[in-house]
Amino acid sequence: MNRHLWKSQLCEMVQPSGGPAADQDVLGEESPLGKPAMLHLPSEQGAPETLQRCLEENQELRDAIRQSNQILRERCEELLHFQASQREEKEFLMCKFQEARKLVERLGLEKLDLKRQKEQALREVEHLKRCQQQMAEDKASVKAQVTSLLGELQESQSRLEAATKECQALEG
């Protein structure tokens, strides 16, 4: 392999455009990583220096890619841990949500039951009030009857005494 062809192939590996760099005459351009781009000289004079710069830049790029890959792996791992913790937290919250929903349903049923019991108790209180009122009326009626009967008893007793006196008077 001749020297010019080998230099061209080496420079092709590090060129972002992918085209041969041996024919380009670029001096001091910025690469995407912020480092000065390689100098490409068309003549044979700068071949060893150009090759050395290509190799150095190639190594720097490999190191940068390796470092970027390591950082990406770490970030990916952090993301996976974060996703796992988020999944666990979501499952925990869903469990608590289900428990809360069941509790709300149970409390709702208890509320309905207590409402029914309250309505039943109010009906019973109304019934007891009516019974009490009826008993008060019955008591007044019985009292009136007792008073009437006492009056009749006193009247009967008075007549009996009068009849007893008459009988004694007739006997005497």
Side-chain angles (χ1 to χ4, degrees):
M1 186 181 306
N2 73 28
R3 191 173 175 189
H4 184 69
L5 181 62
W6 185 64
K7 177 182 136 190
S8 177
Q9 287 176 342
L10 269 180
C11 290
E12 268 186 53
M13 289 193 300
V14 293
Q15 292 303 310
S17 66
D23 300 333
Q24 299 174 1
D25 188 14
V26 180
L27 295 174
E29 282 187 19
E30 287 285 321
S31 72
L33 296 176
K35 300 186 187 273
M38 294 184 297
L39 297 176
H40 305 288
L41 301 174
S43 68
E44 293 286 325
Q45 296 171 353
E49 293 85 16
T50 304
L51 176 62
Q52 184 61 37
R53 276 193 295 271
C54 284
L55 291 174
E56 287 172 7
E57 186 173 332
N58 195 353
Q59 187 59 43
E60 287 175 9
L61 290 172
R62 285 175 187 246
D63 291 343
I65 289 172
R66 203 169 302 137
Q67 186 178 9
S68 294
N69 284 343
Q70 181 61 34
I71 291 170
L72 284 173
R73 274 195 283 290
E74 290 170 4
R75 295 295 179 262
C76 183
E77 212 170 295
E78 288 174 11
L79 180 63
L80 290 174
H81 287 302
F82 177 74
Q83 286 175 336
S85 69
Q86 289 295 308
R87 199 170 22 256
E88 288 173 12
E89 188 174 341
K90 181 182 176 185
E91 289 171 4
F92 174 77
L93 290 174
M94 287 301 291
C95 181
K96 290 298 179 186
F97 177 74
Q98 293 298 331
E99 288 175 13
R101 177 182 280 165
K102 288 177 185 175
L103 180 63
V104 166
E105 288 174 3
R106 185 174 59 86
L107 290 174
L109 292 174
E110 286 181 15
K111 182 179 176 183
L112 286 175
D113 188 45
L114 289 172
K115 192 174 179 182
R116 281 193 295 267
Q117 288 178 9
K118 178 183 172 187
E119 290 170 358
Q120 179 66 28
L122 288 173
R123 283 193 296 272
E124 289 177 10
V125 165
E126 278 299 314
H127 178 70
L128 289 173
K129 282 181 180 177
R130 284 193 301 271
C131 287
Q132 188 178 18
Q133 188 177 1
Q134 185 65 43
M135 287 174 68
E137 291 172 5
D138 290 348
K139 179 181 174 186
S141 174
V142 167
K143 190 175 182 181
Q145 288 176 356
V146 167
T147 304
S148 173
L149 287 173
L150 280 175
E152 287 178 25
L153 181 61
Q154 286 175 349
E155 187 181 320
S156 294
Q157 196 171 7
S158 295
R159 280 186 286 180
L160 179 62
E161 286 177 9
T164 304
K165 283 182 184 178
E166 265 184 53
C167 279
Q168 286 177 350
L170 286 176
E171 281 180 9

